Amino acid sequence: MSALAALLPAVPPVFGWAVHARWLHRRLTTARHDPLTGLWTRDAFTRRARRLLRDPRAVVVLADIDHFKQINDTHGHAAGDVLLATVAARLAHGTGPGGVVGRLGGDEFAAVLIDREGTAADRLHTLARVLGRPVDTAPDVHTTVSLGWVRAADHPGEELSTLLRRADEAMYAAKRSGRSGPRRARIGRLLVSVAGRRPGRRGAA
């Protein structure tokens, strides 16, 4: 038997494993991305965000679409889905290639960006205006987006979960103030536990 003939029986199993590996990779990639917006899912976002928090210039942002239930009720759920996808794309663009953005669920998004120039406040005010623009393909579909943010260096040693709670607290302060723009988290202890305050996120005002 030739050397080539001896190798041929091994080819089909190897080929099969290669196909299976590609299939598994696609399944894992799909599982890590939200199917509607293409953003990272909560778990995938968390892993990447924790790595970015090693940089002292990291800024954690929480974004929540205002009056999302009203959009669904007025224009239908298809329009609501278009709005979610539009906000996701604009948030990812505004965060920049060095950051990470995820959809936490419903109409709530989180991001970690690296503030290399120290201009996070101005950058987020611009982003808030962009997020509030009408959907390009549906001019009647638009609303504001509340943003809360926290600079990781202001709270050294805190985990991502705590920083997200601080950003969440700031975001709700922005909502209560009439959505006047992004709100930076206060220095000091947290006021209210997120889990105890906000049951049922989707459709919140």
Side-chain angles (χ1 to χ4, degrees):
M1 180 183 295
S2 69
L4 177 61
L7 289 174
L8 285 178
V11 172
V14 171
F15 178 75
W17 277 111
V19 171
H20 178 73
R22 286 197 296 271
W23 173 83
L24 184 61
H25 176 73
R26 286 196 297 269
R27 288 292 302 270
L28 289 173
T29 300
T30 301
R32 292 169 184 159
H33 287 86
D34 174 61
L36 175 62
T37 65
L39 297 181
W40 296 110
T41 58
R42 180 186 288 269
D43 289 344
F45 164 79
T46 298
R47 287 193 294 272
R48 288 158 178 80
R50 283 173 175 162
R51 289 198 291 267
L52 288 181
L53 287 179
R54 299 169 187 167
D55 191 320
R57 301 167 298 177
V59 170
V60 178
V61 182
L62 205 65
D64 188 270
I65 300 176
D66 302 320
H67 307 301
F68 185 66
K69 183 178 185 300
Q70 184 176 327
I71 294 292
N72 279 333
D73 292 344
T74 302
H75 301 282
H77 287 277
D81 287 347
V82 171
L83 178 62
L84 286 169
T86 299
V87 167
R90 292 172 177 174
L91 185 59
H93 183 268
T95 300
V100 61
V101 188
R103 183 184 180 193
L104 302 187
D107 56 327
E108 186 174 66
F109 304 87
V112 176
L113 57 89
I114 303 301
D115 186 23
R116 293 179 175 85
E117 283 77 40
T119 58
D122 292 338
R123 185 173 170 182
L124 291 173
H125 271 86
T126 299
L127 178 59
R129 291 195 295 271
V130 170
L131 294 176
R133 292 174 182 168
V135 174
D136 294 338
T137 57
D140 292 338
V141 180
H142 64 93
T143 184
T144 52
V145 177
S146 293
L147 297 175
W149 64 283
V150 57
R151 196 178 295 279
D154 289 343
H155 307 277
E158 288 194 350
E159 297 289 334
L160 174 65
S161 58
T162 306
L163 294 172
L164 283 171
R165 288 171 60 193
R166 289 186 181 278
D168 177 87
E169 187 177 271
M171 184 264 292
Y172 265 80
K175 281 185 182 288
R176 290 193 298 268
S177 68
R179 302 171 177 89
S180 58
R183 181 66 65 91
R184 183 174 180 175
R186 62 192 293 275
I187 303 294
R189 65 182 181 85
L190 284 162
L191 297 179
V192 183
S193 168
V194 173
R197 181 178 58 194
R198 294 189 296 118
R201 295 290 308 119
R202 186 172 179 84

